Amino acid sequence: MIVAGDAQQARRALAALPRPLGFVPTMGAIHAGHLALIEAARGRCRTVAVSVFVNPLQFGPGEDFERYPRDEAGDRRAIEEAGADLLYLPSPQNMYPPGFGTSIDVNGPAARYEGAARPTHFRGVATVVTKLLNAIAPDVLVLGQKDAQQTAVLRRLVRDLDLPVEVQIVPTAREHDGLARSSRNVYLSPQERAAAPSLYEALRATDAALRNGASSKAACDAGMLLLREPGRWQYLDVVDALTFEPIPHLRPPAFVIGSAVFGKTRLIDNLYYEGGADG
Ligand code: AMP
């Protein structure tokens, strides 16, 4: 596996490797969810590039940038074992040189939910992903369904800026009890960890009610009851998969999205309803 520390090195190394090229951007602390993305990229691309960069721009003041789990040696090993051909490991100075002053704002799907709770988050995501796509120039950008709103924001970005890349979404990898895998799960205390799968149980109860014909509001009211202490709801809603606007009745492509706080840790999860050309 080639390791590149800046965009020029990455471009030079990738120019010699066969196409199509799949690209998996991550913030490291590699887990089975990331590995599923790398595997999906390998399944359809001859070359796979992975980036590890904890992007300061997508963390708000008071969020967990400083304590975000970092394990460069473990990540390198796991990414190499998963079969990646290139690991892009830019430094913060390299990514954001002194005087850096450009940002990408995606309106529409970034407005609500995670965008409302974390007002600068999607600007940071869109800016770094634009830079990463410029450095790697992949044919396929591989993203996890786990971050549903991020998939909508980045699809919008790709379409609005005519970026020559296809977006592939990979289903969420879960623990045995249903909890979506996340680098942030390590923050949970034993009591919080025991209650955390109830977020997924609530989504499934919402899904069952929707499939029985309930309105979004009635289905979410039913789902809300399942969250266990000390979980606190941030939101539970049914949204259009592309616009991330709430919809009164299930109309695919759509997501049921939920976010709940367990102690100091904010978790997100979702269920996806496929449908339509973009679904
Ligand atoms: P992160 O390192 O958390 O920024 O995530 C990097 C990529 O991995 C994003 O596209 C995420 O959506 C994806 N990802 C994170 N967790 C999971 C999971 N449990 N299942 C599938 N993809 C995931």
Side-chain angles (χ1 to χ4, degrees), residues 24-37 51 53 58 68 142-148 150-151 154 170-175 179-184:
V24 179
T26 82
M27 296 207 300
I30 296 298
H31 55 65
H34 300 119
L35 299 179
L37 268 55
S51 64
F53 181 64
Q58 70 188 70
Y68 194 83
V142 184
L143 302 172
Q145 183 198 315
K146 159 73 172 25
D147 297 279
Q150 176 168 280
T151 67
L154 294 179
V170 177
T172 302
R174 300 182 178 280
E175 305 281 356
L179 176 65
R181 302 226 180 216
S182 163
S183 307
R184 291 189 165 101

Side-chain angles (χ1 to χ4, degrees), residues 158-180:
V158 164
R159 195 169 293 182
D160 286 354
L161 298 188
D162 306 311
L163 302 179
V165 68
E166 182 191 329
V167 178
Q168 182 183 357
I169 312 292
V170 177
T172 302
R174 300 182 178 280
E175 305 281 356
H176 293 301
D177 56 10
L179 176 65

Side-chain angles (χ1 to χ4, degrees), residues 72-86:
E72 191 180 311
D75 286 350
R76 274 186 193 229
R77 250 194 325 272
I79 291 166
E80 181 152 31
E81 273 168 24
D85 301 287
L86 179 127

Side-chain angles (χ1 to χ4, degrees), residues 53 55-57 92-104 123-124 126-132 134:
F53 181 64
N55 174 32
L57 285 193
Q93 297 75 10
N94 200 288
M95 196 58 118
Y96 302 121
F100 184 85
T102 303
S103 61
I104 304 279
R123 177 187 304 155
T127 302
V128 81
V129 170
T130 303
K131 289 196 55 135
L132 290 167
N134 275 332

